[in-house]
């Protein structure tokens, strides 16, 4: 018998994955959480029916949402991830020798618990002595935060508790929470299937930051497979990748990709013009 998971990514597009077994399912205080073992991509975390991460392609998203801003910062020491309860972003941040503190601000402790139980290879660094996990709403947290070097918005789609993570006021609070040369990055959805969201995040970040850049990566299990990230930069950026980062162990990010990911196809340039 074949059992299929279907994510309705828009009213007209869905992704289907053959499921070998359902490992976990619960309704948390915030969302419906499931862990499925898929034939094509291995173990997969879904929230409210939307793919969050899979064993086979998580490295793309987690490396690109972290190494791109951390390489551009002059000396990243204090970093925060808003959302990101699977722990993949924290794992990548702690590969940077300059980082002294990596804070995870996750609203739903059940996501972290599921990640520790079913995705040890992704959540591996959550118990590191430089990792600090805070179970709270990122929108309230960021209003009290200060002097961060890099803030990463590793959120779910803009529904439910994540809705406020896509608003201009939130980007302004992040600007205030960053130090002099601080950098933020937010996952900003698919240029093919969510062009209005790409524009909304880009214009929101641009309303708060003097420099705004969009970059791309291929994440096969996210809608359309082409994913965008929007970066806001408060001050100066590094002009070259620091020598110690050339030896960092990665599978997608490379120092060369660091330059090329900002080169946009014309239709996406037009989208964020
Ligand atoms: N990589 C994923 C993606 O793009 O599909 C996102 C992964 S991560 C699991 C997203 C996390 O954001 C979820 O665990 C969710 O609980 C968390 N989240 C949503 N809204 C939040 C908020 N307001 N404050 C903090 N965390 C939030």
């Amino acid at each position: 018998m074949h059992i299929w998971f279907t994510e309705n990514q828009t009213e007209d597009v869905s992704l289907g994955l053959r499921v070998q077994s359902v490992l976990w399912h619960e309704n948390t205080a915030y969302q419906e959480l499931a862990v499925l073992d898929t034939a094509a991509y291995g173990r997969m975390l879904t929230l409210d029916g939307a793919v969050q991460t899979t064993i086979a392609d998580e490295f793309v998203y987690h490396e690109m949402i972290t190494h791109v801003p951390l390489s551009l910062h002059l000396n990243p020491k204090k970093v925060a991830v808003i959302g990101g309860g699977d722990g993949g972003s924290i794992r990548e941040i702690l590969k940077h020798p300059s980082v002294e503190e990596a804070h995870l601000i996750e609203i739903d402790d059940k996501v972290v618990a599921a990640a520790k139980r079913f995705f040890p290879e992704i959540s591996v660094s959550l118990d590191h002595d430089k990792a600090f996990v805070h179970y709270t709403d990122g929108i309230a947290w960021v209003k009290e935060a200060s002097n961060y070097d890099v803030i990463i918005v590793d959120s779910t789609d803009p529904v439910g508790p994540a809705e406020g993570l896509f608003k201009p006021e939130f980007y302004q609070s992040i600007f205030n929470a960053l130090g002099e040369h601080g950098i933020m990055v937010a996952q900003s959805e698919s240029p093919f299937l969510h062009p209005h969201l790409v524009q909304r995040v880009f214009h929101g970040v641009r309303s708060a930051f003097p420099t705004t850049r969009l970059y791309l990566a291929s994440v096969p299990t996210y809608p359309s497979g082409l994913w965008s990230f929007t970066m806001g930069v408060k001050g100066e950026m590094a002009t070259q990748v620091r020598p110690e980062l050339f030896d960092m162990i990665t599978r997608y990010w490379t120092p060369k990709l660091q330059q090329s990911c900002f080169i946009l196809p014309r239709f996406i340039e037009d989208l964020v013009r």
Side-chain angles (χ1 to χ4, degrees):
M1 189 172 72
H2 286 174
I3 302 172
W4 288 77
F5 161 86
T6 304
E7 175 182 341
N8 293 322
Q9 299 177 330
T10 72
E11 278 179 15
D12 307 311
V13 178
S14 66
L15 169 75
L17 296 173
R18 190 161 70 75
V19 172
Q20 303 189 128
S21 58
V22 177
L23 300 172
W24 187 250
H25 178 262
E26 70 179 307
N27 287 306
T28 76
Y30 299 96
Q31 49 215 341
E32 182 195 40
L33 183 162
V35 181
L36 310 175
D37 187 17
T38 69
Y41 293 110
R43 274 162 285 130
M44 171 173 81
L45 173 72
T46 68
L47 292 174
D48 289 336
V51 177
Q52 302 298 307
T53 202
T54 80
I55 289 294
D57 68 354
E58 59 88 9
F59 66 97
V60 181
Y61 176 87
H62 291 130
E63 291 181 18
M64 291 301 282
I65 203 168
T66 55
H67 299 316
V68 174
L70 281 158
S71 304
L72 283 171
H73 193 276
L74 300 173
N75 186 20
K77 289 183 174 173
K78 194 173 157 191
V79 182
V81 178
I82 296 176
D86 50 63
S89 294
I90 295 287
R91 180 194 65 199
E92 295 305 314
I93 289 164
L94 290 175
K95 290 181 181 174
H96 288 250
S98 64
V99 171
E100 295 171 357
E101 296 172 25
H103 296 262
L104 183 81
I105 322 308
E106 167 61 62
I107 203 166
D108 193 343
D109 61 335
K110 301 288 192 243
V111 175
V112 174
K116 285 186 171 177
R117 179 165 170 202
F118 296 104
F119 299 90
E121 51 286 79
I122 300 178
S123 59
V124 58
S125 301
L126 288 176
D127 292 323
H128 193 287
D129 57 8
K130 291 182 185 175
F132 303 90
V133 179
H134 313 263
Y135 294 115
T136 185
D137 184 344
I139 298 163
W141 175 88
V142 80
K143 290 183 184 155
E144 307 297 323
S146 61
N147 277 321
Y148 278 81
D149 296 313
V150 177
I151 297 181
I152 292 166
V153 187
D154 181 359
S155 68
T156 37
D157 301 332
V159 281
E163 205 174 337
L165 303 179
F166 287 75
K167 294 195 171 153
E169 309 86 89
F170 177 62
Y171 306 129
Q172 187 59 54
S173 301
I174 293 183
F175 180 90
N176 298 339
L178 287 167
E180 193 186 355
H181 299 296
I183 299 183
M184 73 152 280
V185 67
Q187 71 90 357
S188 48
E189 311 277 327
S190 159
F192 278 109
L193 292 181
H194 319 114
H196 53 290
L197 282 177
V198 174
Q199 284 178 321
R200 200 210 293 180
V201 176
F202 192 85
H203 291 141
V205 174
R206 193 164 61 185
S207 69
F209 285 81
T211 307
T212 309
R213 307 273 299 275
L214 191 92
Y215 63 92
L216 301 171
S218 297
V219 186
T221 56
Y222 286 174
S224 86
L226 182 68
W227 211 244
S228 74
F229 303 84
T230 300
M231 202 174 73
V233 184
K234 207 167 165 175
E236 277 175 47
M237 282 186 273
T239 49
Q240 284 181 334
V241 175
R242 291 184 295 288
E244 76 261 23
L245 302 183
F246 276 77
D247 295 333
M248 195 162 61
I249 296 169
T250 54
R251 294 175 66 201
Y252 193 89
W253 180 91
T254 66
K256 278 190 186 159
L257 195 74
Q258 173 76 24
Q259 317 297 333
S260 65
C261 67
F262 290 102
I263 299 170
L264 302 178
R266 182 156 287 147
F267 81 99
I268 303 177
E269 262 182 2
D270 290 344
L271 207 58
V272 296
R273 196 175 292 277

